[in-house]
Amino acid sequence: RTSDPDIYAIGDCCNHPSPRYGRRIRLESVDNAFEQARTAAANICGKPTVHDKVPWFWSDQYDLKLQIVGLSQHYDNVVLRGDPDSRAFSCCYLRDGELIALDAVNHAKDFMAARKLIAERARPDPARLADAEAVIICVPTPLASQREPDLSYVRSAARAIAGVRRPKNPVPGAA
């Protein structure tokens, strides 16, 4: 939301206050644009919602898939998982024991686990984190009362705000 309560700025063009990082941040990613659109749509529809998603990014560089979750600024410890010579490894960034970011190269399992860990502000054991054979996390499924509220009613508004239109018949020849 801008200083005008009736105007929202979302996507690559804006910076926004981040409760997670305690400062204003600007992110250029498709996921961030979609998530900000959902947050704006929820607020427009009268459901006060704070935008506080863990950012993530990806890039394919020839035979390497780079996946990043979180922002690694201001880390005080980095833990390497795996061997960079194998071309499948991860760098885990911690601040005061909390996992704040992870860079995964050809290691999607670490990336997916870190998304959950970072969202939960987890403090994994650095020795276990360094063990490339160990599973980073096993997150129990939250109880229904602990899950995020269902905001499916804002999907259409979020897509409209983000300028996304779904084709009526995405498969050629489909009715």
Side-chain angles (χ1 to χ4, degrees):
R1 185 167 254 165
T2 66
S3 58
D4 183 323
D6 294 327
I7 298 175
Y8 291 81
I10 62 171
D12 296 353
C13 69
C14 74
N15 67 49
H16 63 279
S18 171
R20 174 170 302 278
Y21 296 104
R23 61 187 170 87
R24 296 185 73 82
I25 60 174
R26 180 173 174 260
L27 301 170
E28 295 183 24
S29 76
V30 171
D31 180 65
N32 181 60
F34 279 116
E35 290 299 332
Q36 284 184 344
R38 288 179 59 141
T39 300
N43 282 286
I44 289 167
C45 293
K47 303 285 184 186
T49 305
V50 175
H51 182 71
D52 190 29
K53 301 292 183 187
V54 176
W56 62 273
F57 315 88
W58 63 270
S59 179
D60 289 327
Q61 301 293 317
Y62 299 97
D63 63 331
L64 302 177
K65 178 175 279 300
L66 173 62
Q67 295 173 295
I68 300 167
V69 60
L71 300 178
S72 61
Q73 298 165 330
H74 311 295
Y75 66 90
D76 56 28
N77 188 16
V78 63
V79 176
L80 179 64
R81 281 180 60 82
D83 178 9
D85 289 337
S86 73
R87 299 176 65 83
F89 64 96
S90 300
C91 295
C92 308
Y93 301 91
L94 297 105
R95 181 175 53 234
D96 297 325
E98 178 184 334
L99 182 64
I100 60 167
L102 178 132
D103 298 339
V105 176
N106 291 335
H107 216 286
K109 287 182 180 180
D110 280 2
F111 170 75
M112 294 305 294
R115 286 183 69 180
K116 294 175 183 178
L117 274 172
I118 293 168
E120 294 178 351
R121 298 184 176 273
R123 296 175 173 277
D125 174 34
R128 182 169 169 85
L129 207 53
D131 182 356
E133 300 301 314
V135 175
I136 291 183
I137 185 172
C138 180
V139 179
T141 304
L143 299 173
S145 62
Q146 296 173 325
R147 291 188 186 130
E148 286 188 28
D150 178 16
L151 297 178
S152 59
Y153 66 93
V154 298
R155 284 189 183 137
S156 296
R159 285 189 194 107
I161 290 169
V164 175
R165 300 280 188 262
R166 284 193 176 176
K168 289 185 179 184
N169 294 318
V171 179

